[in-house]
Amino acid sequence: MSTNRQIQLASRPTGEPSLDNFKLVEVALPAVAEGQVLVRNHYLSLDPYMRGRMNEGKSYAAAQALNEVMIGGTVGEVVESKNPNFKPGDKVVGMGG
């Protein structure tokens, strides 16, 4: 695994989001540094609050930056680890994209 496939918010939706508001981007993975882990996400929670984050403006949650990965609750698996608390194969949860 040498690339990271990302779904990024490309533009702010008006009304219901469409495929035109998103783009698929592939970026090279940086080397895992000491203390870090590389996680392959298997699941991303899609929650109603994400629609509000696609708008600019004041809200209880920060607006999602354009050309960045949508963040949400994730479930994944450690692929590579340079952290003594995790080993490849460990299942993890967190906020990722």
Side-chain angles (χ1 to χ4, degrees):
M1 184 168 63
S2 60
T3 60
N4 180 6
R5 296 180 59 183
Q6 304 175 349
I7 301 294
Q8 296 182 354
L9 182 64
S11 62
R12 306 249 177 239
T14 302
E16 188 173 329
S18 71
L19 290 176
D20 293 335
N21 298 119
F22 301 91
K23 63 183 176 183
L24 174 63
V25 177
E26 292 190 8
V27 298
L29 287 174
V32 177
E34 286 301 318
Q36 293 182 334
V37 296
L38 175 62
V39 175
R40 175 180 286 137
N41 288 328
H42 295 294
Y43 300 99
L44 169 65
S45 177
L46 298 177
D47 300 305
Y49 90 98
M50 291 174 149
R51 175 58 188 94
R53 291 192 62 225
M54 291 180 200
N55 298 329
E56 276 188 313
K58 189 171 183 170
S59 178
Y60 68 93
Q64 172 65 42
L66 293 178
N67 303 309
E68 295 290 334
V69 174
M70 291 289 299
I71 300 291
T74 55
V75 177
E77 182 176 340
V78 174
V79 176
E80 183 180 346
S81 177
K82 290 192 178 178
N83 183 312
N85 297 314
F86 299 93
K87 63 184 181 310
D90 282 352
K91 306 303 188 262
V92 294
V93 297
M95 291 297 287

